[in-house]
Amino acid sequence: MMHQFNQTMTYLESVLHTEVDMNRVPQLSGYSYSMFSRLFSILSDMTLAEYLRKRRLSEATNDLRETSDKIIDIALKYGYDSVDSFSAAFKKFHGRTPSEVRNRKPSKIFPKVQLSMKITGGKNMNISIQQKPAFAVAGILLENVNNSKCPAAWDRLYKAHSFETLEALGGGQSYGVCSDIAVGEKMNYMAGYQVTDKEKGHALNLSILDIAEAEYAIIPVKGAIPASLHQAWKYVLEVFFPETGYRHSGAPDFEVYAEGDMHSPDYEMEIWVPVVK
């Protein structure tokens, strides 16, 4: 996995001056561009779009200092359609205008990265592989949102319905469902409960998501949310995937919540990651 990530990053570095070929990323990484973007953001604590933007603005300083190219030409080279838009982004990042940097004022350097997986080998999170039958979730669905917007789905769900009503849909288990990852690290997110009688869900004006039978890595999570979720995902990407040969299948993945105080350091839950070898 580390080799695949790094060769993908090498390719992205080679196209800072042009558009990314969305078909090339799956060939190199084994993931769609959207899924690769999501995994990159988990590993690096920044979005792939943010990383590429910073790399372009960093590389632009070389053009300003080492060539006599017009600023408009440099702006177009790095994907900006005007001097104004390029200058605004450049100044926000470097704290200087392009003209000031061309005149040898200081600027930032944002180096390219190669991901270094922390394959530690003896660490054990008691991950198990389980085949889960098909089931359905009823809840509030937010489409094409960033991670930061996901809590709003839970706020809307609990504002509209009581715990007792939602638990009565069937089984009482609550899920955060991440699906349909889109370009730009956006995704669909559902806050919901397992439903056995879909008519009840429809009667509550809830969206219904049918989940196909699939194989999952069941990852135990302990600690305050959301920090513990982020650390669990990093373990999956840095240790579990490289050591076992599994990878994310691209199907929906789940935050499987339990009762208790989610802000407590002793809170326990699970994430279910759909996997293939």
Side-chain angles (χ1 to χ4, degrees), residues 5 9 36-44 46-48 51:
F5 261 77
M9 295 306 299
F36 180 82
S37 297
R38 183 187 179 202
L39 301 182
F40 176 89
S41 68
I42 293 170
L43 286 168
S44 66
M46 77 178 82
T47 67
L48 182 58
Y51 169 77

Side-chain angles (χ1 to χ4, degrees), residues 43-44 96 109 161 164 172 180 203 213 218 223 225 233:
L43 286 168
S44 66
R96 305 279 183 179
I109 295 175
H161 305 290
E164 293 76 15
D180 297 326
E213 180 179 356
I218 310 299
I225 305 299
W233 268 108

Side-chain angles (χ1 to χ4, degrees), residues 98-158:
S99 296
E100 288 175 328
V101 170
R102 169 155 276 175
N103 291 323
R104 301 297 170 175
K105 293 290 185 180
S107 61
K108 291 182 181 178
I109 295 175
F110 188 78
K112 60 185 178 181
V113 302
Q114 292 286 290
L115 299 184
S116 176
M117 306 299 183
K118 291 177 277 190
I119 303 174
T120 57
K123 189 175 179 181
N124 185 1
M125 286 187 71
N126 296 318
I127 295 176
S128 63
I129 305 297
Q130 297 181 24
Q131 190 79 17
K132 296 289 186 182
F135 65 103
V137 180
I140 298 295
L141 177 64
L142 301 182
E143 297 182 299
N144 201 33
V145 296
N146 295 317
N147 276 333
S148 61
K149 303 296 183 182
C150 295
W154 292 102
D155 293 339
R156 287 175 53 183
L157 182 66
Y158 291 131

Side-chain angles (χ1 to χ4, degrees), residues 4 51 64 125 156-157 193 217 227 238 240:
Q4 290 173 304
Y51 169 77
L64 290 166
M125 286 187 71
R156 287 175 53 183
L157 182 66
Y193 279 72
E238 294 177 346
F240 175 72

Side-chain angles (χ1 to χ4, degrees), residues 2-276:
M2 180 171 63
H3 173 69
Q4 290 173 304
F5 261 77
N6 284 336
Q7 68 180 2
T8 307
M9 295 306 299
T10 298
Y11 163 70
L12 292 173
E13 184 70 22
S14 74
V15 293
L16 290 177
H17 306 154
T18 59
E19 291 187 7
V20 175
D21 180 351
M22 297 297 182
N23 296 319
R24 187 70 176 132
V25 172
Q27 293 170 359
L28 294 170
S29 70
Y31 293 105
S32 68
Y33 182 84
S34 303
M35 181 59 73
F36 180 82
S37 297
R38 183 187 179 202
L39 301 182
F40 176 89
S41 68
I42 293 170
L43 286 168
S44 66
D45 297 320
M46 77 178 82
T47 67
L48 182 58
E50 179 185 4
Y51 169 77
L52 293 174
R53 178 180 60 80
K54 289 181 176 179
R55 283 291 299 132
R56 289 181 174 115
L57 291 171
S58 181
E59 287 294 293
T61 61
N62 294 328
D63 294 71
L64 290 166
R65 287 175 172 160
E66 307 302 328
T67 76
S68 58
D69 294 348
K70 295 179 180 179
I71 292 179
I72 181 58
D73 293 331
I74 296 172
L76 293 172
K77 178 180 179 180
Y78 289 98
Y80 293 87
D81 57 10
S82 70
V83 170
D84 288 345
S85 61
F86 173 66
S87 296
F90 191 92
K91 185 172 183 179
K92 183 176 181 181
F93 178 66
H94 289 285
R96 305 279 183 179
T97 67
S99 296
E100 288 175 328
V101 170
R102 169 155 276 175
N103 291 323
R104 301 297 170 175
K105 293 290 185 180
S107 61
K108 291 182 181 178
I109 295 175
F110 188 78
K112 60 185 178 181
V113 302
Q114 292 286 290
L115 299 184
S116 176
M117 306 299 183
K118 291 177 277 190
I119 303 174
T120 57
K123 189 175 179 181
N124 185 1
M125 286 187 71
N126 296 318
I127 295 176
S128 63
I129 305 297
Q130 297 181 24
Q131 190 79 17
K132 296 289 186 182
F135 65 103
V137 180
I140 298 295
L141 177 64
L142 301 182
E143 297 182 299
N144 201 33
V145 296
N146 295 317
N147 276 333
S148 61
K149 303 296 183 182
C150 295
W154 292 102
D155 293 339
R156 287 175 53 183
L157 182 66
Y158 291 131
K159 184 177 181 179
H161 305 290
S162 67
F163 287 104
E164 293 76 15
T165 298
L166 295 166
E167 290 173 346
L169 290 171
Q173 178 60 60
S174 60
Y175 298 97
V177 189
C178 305
S179 63
D180 297 326
I181 311 301
V183 173
E185 294 82 39
K186 293 193 175 182
M187 62 185 175
N188 292 351
Y189 182 84
M190 174 179 277
Y193 279 72
Q194 184 173 353
V195 59
T196 53
D197 185 344
K198 295 180 185 178
E199 290 304 315
K200 287 184 178 180
H202 288 305
L204 296 175
N205 293 318
L206 297 175
S207 298
I208 307 293
L209 190 60
D210 289 303
I211 307 300
E213 180 179 356
E215 188 171 53
Y216 296 90
I218 310 299
I219 295 95
V221 179
K222 183 175 182 179
I225 305 299
S228 59
L229 279 175
H230 186 72
Q231 289 304 312
W233 268 108
K234 292 197 75 169
Y235 178 88
V236 170
L237 298 177
E238 294 177 346
V239 180
F240 175 72
F241 281 175
E243 287 185 351
T244 64
Y246 282 103
R247 67 178 182 87
H248 197 296
S249 74
D253 53 66
F254 297 85
E255 303 158 354
V256 185
Y257 291 98
E259 293 184 0
D261 178 7
M262 290 191 294
H263 302 293
S264 166
D266 297 320
Y267 180 70
E268 296 185 14
M269 59 171 292
E270 294 176 340
I271 53 176
W272 296 355
V273 180
V275 293
V276 293

